[in-house]
Amino acid sequence: MKFVEADSHYNIFARVFILSLIFVRTNADDKIFSVISYGAKADGVTDDSEVFLKAWMDACKWNGEATYLIPLGTYMIYGANFNGPCKGSLIVKIQGVIKASTNPKIFCKGSWISFEYLNNLEIEGGGTLDGQGASAWGQSQCATRPYTIGLSSIQNAIVHDIHSINSKMFHFDIYNCNNVTLSHVNIIAPSDSPNTNGIHISLSSNIRVFDSNIGTGDDCISIFAGSQNVNISGVTCGPGHGISIGSLGNKPNEVVKDVHVKNCTLIATQNGMRIKSWASSNVGEATSISFEDIIMDKVNNPIIIDQHYCPSHTAKSLVQIKNVTFNNIRGTSNSLVAVYFNCSSSLPCQKINLNDIKLITDNNSKPTIASCANAIGHATGIELPPSCLKPALES
C-alpha cells in the first residue's frame, strides 16, 4: 500500500494514527501501582509497611513494566523486604520521604528496606530515605543495626536521584549483585555517626558509582571481599573515612580486583584512597587497582595502604596487595605523612606505581613526607612528597 502524496493532510493523519497505535501497543503492558491507592496514610506516623508490601506483590506479578509509585508525602515504614523474582521489570519511583522507626524494639529486629532476587530494577524519583539514625547510634542492644537499603542477589539495576540521610548503619549495602549502577545519589550523615558507610559493596561484580555526593561517619564507599570490576567516578566524599578497599583478611580467601576510582574529590576526610587488611594469617589478595585524577582538600592520610589494620592482631598479613596505581593525585594533606605504605613483611606490596603526586600541607609550612615499609614499586613524574618505594629486584 502506498500513500497518495498529493493528499498531505491524509498522510499526516494516517502517520499520526499509526504512530498512536504503536505507542499504545508499546505501553499497553505498563502499569502504575501507587501505594496511596492501596491505603497508605502518608502521615509520617502510621506504619505503612503492610500497605507497601501489598502494592509490591501486585506490581511484582505484573507481566510487563510496573512502576511502583511512592508519591509525595511522608511515610513511616517499620520494615519492608521487597522480594522477587518478579514477572516483569520494575521501576520504584520514590517521590516522597520514607522514615524509619526510632523504637529499638522495632528497628533491632533486622533490615529496614531491602530488595532481593530481582532482575531489571530501577530505583529513582528524587525522594528521601530518612533512617533517623540518631536513635540507634548510641544503642548497644542491637546485635546489628539495620541498613537503609539492601540490594541482595540483584541482576541489572539502576539507582539514581535518591537521597539517603542519617542511616542507622550502611546507607546502601550491595551484596551478591551483578551489573548495578548508582548515580546522582546524595548521602548524608554526621561525621561522628558510627559505621554509616555510604555505599558498601561485597561479593559483587560490575558495579558503577557515578556523580554522587557522600558525607558520612565512615567510609564514603567501601569495597569488600568478593568484589570485582568496580568503577567509581565523579564522587565528592566528605566528611567520612574516604574511599576504601577492605578490610581484607579477616576471613580466608578474601579477594578484591579490578577497581578503578577516577575524577573524585575528598574534603576533610580521615583518609583519602585506602587499602586495608587485617594483620592475620588468612590468605587474600587485592590487585589491579587504580586511583586517578583525585583532588584532596585537607585530607588526613591522602594515600594509604595499611596491612596492620586492627593492630591488636599479632600475625603478619597474608593478603597480597599488587598492581596498584596512584596517578595524578593532588591537593592538601592535614598530615605530614601524605603517602603511607605499611605493608606486610610476609607478603610485601608489589608493583605499586606512583605518578604525578603533588600533596602539600594545608598552609605549605612544612614539606610532606612519604613513609614506606615493605612496599615495592616505582615513581614517575612529580614526586611530592618524594617517593620511598623500593625498586623491584632485577631478575
Side-chain angles (χ1 to χ4, degrees):
M1 180 181 293
K2 183 170 72 173
F3 290 115
V4 179
E5 294 298 332
D7 193 349
S8 59
H9 293 290
Y10 173 81
N11 285 340
I12 293 171
F13 175 81
R15 288 168 184 165
V16 170
F17 179 72
I18 292 170
L19 287 172
S20 67
L21 289 178
I22 294 172
F23 180 81
V24 169
R25 187 182 304 132
T26 302
N27 291 274
D29 293 333
D30 298 354
K31 188 170 181 179
I32 296 174
F33 297 83
S34 171
V35 296
I36 294 295
S37 300
Y38 285 77
K41 299 298 183 184
D43 59 9
V45 177
T46 306
D47 177 23
D48 283 323
S49 302
E50 289 189 14
V51 171
F52 272 46
L53 291 174
K54 285 179 182 177
W56 174 263
M57 289 176 65
D58 286 349
C60 189
K61 293 174 184 176
W62 186 254
N63 191 16
E65 183 177 272
T67 296
Y68 179 85
L69 177 62
I70 303 169
L72 293 172
T74 301
Y75 305 82
M76 172 62 68
I77 297 296
Y78 287 177
N81 299 321
F82 301 109
N83 295 333
C86 295
K87 286 188 176 181
S89 60
L90 276 154
I91 299 173
V92 177
K93 187 181 289 289
I94 303 172
Q95 296 176 332
V97 176
I98 303 176
K99 288 191 172 185
S101 173
T102 58
N103 185 346
K105 293 181 179 179
I106 295 172
F107 67 69
C108 284
K109 291 181 179 179
S111 61
W112 182 32
I113 298 173
S114 65
F115 295 87
E116 298 182 83
Y117 308 111
L118 295 166
N119 188 13
N120 295 325
L121 172 69
E122 181 178 358
I123 303 173
E124 50 99 358
T128 298
L129 303 165
D130 184 356
Q132 302 207 85
S135 61
W137 296 329
Q139 295 289 341
S140 59
Q141 65 262 47
C142 289
T144 302
R145 299 193 306 274
Y147 311 142
T148 289
I149 283 191
L151 300 179
S152 177
S153 302
I154 304 291
Q155 296 280 333
N156 308 312
I158 299 173
V159 180
H160 64 95
D161 297 290
I162 291 293
H163 306 271
S164 177
I165 63 173
N166 297 330
S167 178
K168 291 181 172 70
M169 200 167 171
F170 302 162
H171 289 257
F172 289 88
D173 182 59
I174 301 172
Y175 174 78
N176 193 33
C177 294
N178 178 56
N179 194 27
V180 175
T181 298
L182 296 94
S183 70
H184 299 94
V185 172
N186 293 296
I187 297 172
I188 300 171
S191 60
D192 59 351
S193 56
N195 305 116
T196 53
N197 298 43
I199 300 170
H200 182 73
I201 303 164
S202 62
L203 205 68
S204 297
S205 302
N206 304 307
I207 309 299
R208 295 164 294 276
V209 182
F210 297 146
D211 302 331
S212 296
N213 296 306
I214 305 173
T216 71
D218 210 297
D219 295 330
C220 291
I221 301 174
S222 50
I223 303 158
F224 204 65
S227 297
Q228 61 180 338
N229 198 14
V230 177
N231 288 274
I232 299 165
S233 70
V235 169
T236 299
C237 167
H241 294 183
I243 297 176
S244 296
I245 295 173
S247 56
L248 303 175
N250 193 34
K251 295 179 180 179
N253 302 312
E254 293 186 331
V255 175
V256 170
K257 60 182 180 180
D258 294 318
V259 176
H260 307 287
V261 181
K262 188 173 183 178
N263 293 328
C264 293
T265 299
L266 290 91
I267 303 171
T269 52
Q270 189 179 100
N271 303 287
M273 305 290 118
R274 176 169 62 158
I275 304 173
K276 53 183 177 176
S277 73
W278 291 78
S280 73
S281 57
N282 292 319
V283 174
E285 184 179 50
T287 185
S288 299
I289 297 162
S290 66
F291 303 100
E292 184 176 5
D293 300 332
I294 308 296
I295 296 175
M296 306 285 183
D297 184 0
K298 299 180 183 178
V299 171
N300 293 325
N301 309 312
I303 295 174
I304 177 171
I305 297 176
D306 183 7
Q307 294 207 259
H308 297 84
Y309 185 69
C310 192
S312 61
H313 288 223
T314 57
K316 297 175 181 177
S317 178
L318 294 181
V319 175
Q320 177 67 80
I321 297 175
K322 63 180 182 180
N323 295 318
V324 181
T325 297
F326 299 89
N327 179 45
N328 192 27
I329 314 295
R330 60 201 184 278
T332 55
S333 172
N334 266 355
S335 51
L336 287 178
V337 180
V339 176
Y340 181 72
F341 296 141
N342 186 12
C343 299
S344 171
S345 59
S346 296
L347 284 175
C349 298
Q350 302 283 346
K351 297 183 179 179
I352 307 299
N353 304 304
L354 296 173
N355 181 60
D356 287 340
I357 308 300
K358 187 177 181 181
L359 295 167
I360 62 174
T361 53
D362 184 32
N363 56 12
N364 206 18
S365 60
K366 294 182 179 180
T368 54
I369 61 175
S371 174
C372 296
N374 309 305
I376 298 171
H378 73 281
T380 56
I382 299 170
E383 294 184 38
L384 189 61
S387 171
C388 57
L389 290 168
K390 292 182 179 179
L393 295 176
E394 296 293 336
S395 57

